[in-house]
Amino acid sequence: MLTKEKAIENLDEIIKKVEFVRLQVSQHKIVQIVGVSKYNTSDDVTSIYKAGQRAFGENKVQDLKQKQEKLQEYPISWHFIGTLQKNKINNLIDLNPVLMHSLDSLDLAEELDKKLKSRSKTMNCLLQINSSYEESKSGVEPKDAVDIYETIQKNYLNIILKGVMSIGANSEKKEDIIKSFTLTKEIFDKCDGAEICSMGMSGDFELAILNGSNMIRVGSSLFKS
Ligand SMILES: *Cc1c(COP(=O)(O)O)cnc(C)c1O
């Protein structure tokens, strides 16, 4: 269980680190922090919320639903960051996430759009790109990403594309991680109207910001006790 003091200390430490690198990139750039609560209890989320954090993300539809229900008294912005199974699409639509980070194929976009249409709803989404070319990771291939982005924008009108998302390369080598981030940033710059470049987790968010991220997703470093 996260104490009040520890929650404040963790959040402050992350904000300080974000600020330090953010100012090296631009005075005007805003970097949003999404607290990833997937391994934590609602009580822990409450502690971080009370320290000032307002955006949280979950990677399973069922967990998102449970946390939303338990924490409904708080004005939390809920993000969805996990792989979405087609049979869970309707459940996710019901939960109204502010942003869905993990639109990872045209196929999923088609299904999601169809279900959104039939309910007269829209969803803000990011196109997930597998910029590290790792088989274990979801996402579209970098070479197809801009085309897929445009296809979704043109054909799937109930999906509001806001930008792109990537998970940094799982490597000890800094160059590999940087390479995956710069590739995502290059694609982001080519996507018409893209505003959000979601990349960076506990282990690599500083590198991500230095290479173009404006939204980071931090779990373990925020919730460490
Ligand atoms: C778990 C997860 C995170 C947070 O990871 P940490 O290393 O704990 O900060 C970020 N993004 C995605 C997609 C995740 O699944």
Side-chain angles (χ1 to χ4, degrees), residues 36 38 81 165 167 201-202 217-220:
V36 175
K38 65 190 184 195
I81 61 166
M165 181 276 238
I167 298 173
M201 316 193 338
S202 292
R217 311 174 306 268
V218 286
S220 43

Side-chain angles (χ1 to χ4, degrees), residues 8 14-15 26 31 36 40 63 87 111 113 124 130 132 144 150 152 182 187 195 199 214 217:
I8 293 170
I14 292 167
I15 290 171
S26 159
V31 176
V36 175
N40 305 91
D63 294 347
N87 61 353
E111 280 294 307
D113 185 65
N124 295 326
N130 188 355
S132 57
D144 306 327
E150 286 170 356
I152 294 172
T182 44
I187 295 165
E195 295 165 15
M199 49 188 199
N214 60 15
R217 311 174 306 268

